[in-house]
Amino acid sequence: MKIYLATCGSFDKILKKNFDEVRILTSYFYMNKSKPLIKKDYTVEQFLDSGAFSAWSKKEEIDIDKYADYIKKNIGTIDHYANLDIIGDAEATSKNQKYLESVGLHPMPVFHYNEPFEALKALLDNYEYIALGGMVPITTGRLIPWLNEVFHLVCDEEGNATRKIHGFGMTTTTIIKRYPWYSVDSISPFYGAGFGRIYDEAGELDLSRNTGHVDLATRLYLEKNRQNFKFEELKEDYKQRIIYNIQFFLRLEKELTETPPKFKHLQQKLWQ
């Protein structure tokens, strides 16, 4: 199991000072495209996402030829890169996949929430590593039935994935633990920290000053379980929250690598 931290250069100093090896996902949409994509000392793997979801949410377009040129210029520092997918248009996404392949690239194909499952079956027949996208705005209650269908197609009878599956924007730890992902990416360690949130084995804890107080149970939990962090620093300093959050996601990555979950097929649940 691999967890990529979806980040940008603004957190470079925090990562460099506190971590030796992390996996980074970078968005082409947001980056300074005039500069080369450098692989930092602390980056063990670098994933380039097209940023299609961000472009779609802002009603902007990404030039596929410029995207292809950027990948080619920086291929030495990119371990994985995704197709320029089009949210809500499986046919256009497939067209972009084929175009990028025609110019000598091998992008990771993307299957989106609510697209026909026939499209996923075609990808499973032709690719070893497939990304799932369009999940960010979907509630957990709606996402789980869809993911059940996805992994029913992906997994063998023993519940093991027969293909590598990446989850874009996968921030819900219960869902990360529920399925045999090969990799996911999350912005939560950074974004959540900015809003006073921390993540660990107990789930999501809100330390935001906007709430007016932090409940006693949360405070006692932190003081007991995370001795190397001072409670007041976590509450007041977003940088400390970022470090705390990343440490948790690294522990989660290690846990799921050592003991990967098996998918329980829908039919089996009737008898268990």
Side-chain angles (χ1 to χ4, degrees):
M1 170 64 167
K2 299 180 180 183
I3 298 180
Y4 292 83
L5 304 176
T7 183
C8 59
S10 59
F11 300 111
D12 181 57
K13 290 183 179 179
I14 296 175
L15 292 169
K16 185 175 182 178
K17 182 178 179 180
N18 296 280
F19 300 96
D20 295 325
E21 293 187 351
V22 292
R23 294 179 172 84
I24 297 295
L25 180 138
T26 304
S27 172
Y28 170 80
F29 180 74
Y30 285 113
M31 67 196 323
N32 185 340
K33 301 166 187 63
S34 64
K35 294 183 178 180
L37 182 59
I38 299 173
K39 197 169 189 178
K40 306 296 176 60
D41 292 340
Y42 55 77
T43 305
V44 64
E45 284 187 26
Q46 189 149 255
F47 194 136
L48 180 66
D49 176 29
S50 68
F53 180 81
S54 298
W56 173 78
S57 63
K58 295 178 179 294
K59 298 182 179 180
E60 297 184 27
E61 293 185 3
I62 297 173
D63 187 302
I64 192 168
D65 288 306
K66 291 181 179 179
Y67 181 54
D69 288 341
Y70 187 84
I71 293 172
K72 290 179 179 180
K73 289 177 181 178
N74 295 278
I75 197 68
T77 57
I78 301 173
D79 295 285
H80 306 287
Y81 53 93
N83 179 27
L84 176 53
D85 49 319
I86 307 298
I87 308 297
D89 193 333
E91 185 176 343
T93 296
S94 177
K95 183 179 178 180
N96 282 352
Q97 179 77 26
K98 293 175 182 177
Y99 177 76
L100 291 173
E101 290 174 350
S102 75
V103 296
L105 296 175
H106 303 282
M108 185 183 301
V110 184
F111 177 70
H112 297 104
Y113 178 85
N114 241 9
E115 286 182 346
F117 281 103
E118 291 302 318
L120 176 59
K121 292 177 183 177
L123 294 179
L124 293 172
D125 286 340
N126 293 283
Y127 298 93
E128 291 295 322
Y129 201 175
I130 300 165
L132 304 182
M135 299 183 289
V136 172
I138 310 303
T139 63
T140 298
R142 291 166 59 199
L143 193 56
I144 286 179
W146 181 77
L147 286 172
N148 285 343
E149 294 293 336
V150 168
F151 280 94
H152 179 70
L153 294 173
V154 169
C155 295
D156 60 22
E157 293 182 355
E158 299 300 319
N160 300 307
T162 61
R163 296 290 185 272
K164 298 175 182 178
I165 302 297
H166 178 84
F168 277 130
M170 184 47 59
T171 59
T172 306
T173 55
T174 53
I175 293 182
I176 294 175
K177 292 180 176 182
R178 184 183 178 97
Y179 302 100
W181 304 94
Y182 181 79
S183 60
V184 298
D185 67 81
S186 177
I187 197 173
S188 290
F190 306 100
Y191 187 79
F195 287 91
R197 294 192 291 271
I198 60 173
Y199 304 87
D200 69 8
E201 287 77 3
E204 179 182 314
L205 302 175
D206 188 355
L207 305 184
S208 173
R209 285 175 291 182
N210 295 330
T211 62
H213 71 282
V214 176
D215 64 86
L216 180 61
T218 297
R219 182 167 187 146
L220 291 174
Y221 168 81
L222 289 172
E223 291 176 349
K224 179 180 179 181
N225 293 280
R226 295 290 172 262
Q227 299 294 336
N228 54 328
F229 286 90
K230 294 181 180 179
F231 174 79
E232 291 302 327
E233 289 181 350
L234 278 177
K235 186 173 184 295
E236 301 294 333
D237 188 349
Y238 79 94
K239 294 180 180 178
Q240 288 296 305
R241 293 194 293 272
I242 288 175
I243 296 168
Y244 186 97
N245 290 343
I246 293 176
Q247 287 186 0
F248 163 66
F249 275 93
L250 291 177
R251 292 196 303 272
L252 179 62
E253 180 184 67
K254 184 175 185 292
E255 172 192 338
L256 296 179
T257 298
E258 295 175 348
T259 312
K262 290 182 180 291
F263 175 66
K264 292 186 177 181
H265 289 276
L266 300 178
Q267 301 96 315
Q268 294 176 335
K269 292 182 180 179
L270 297 174
W271 307 101
Q272 294 180 347

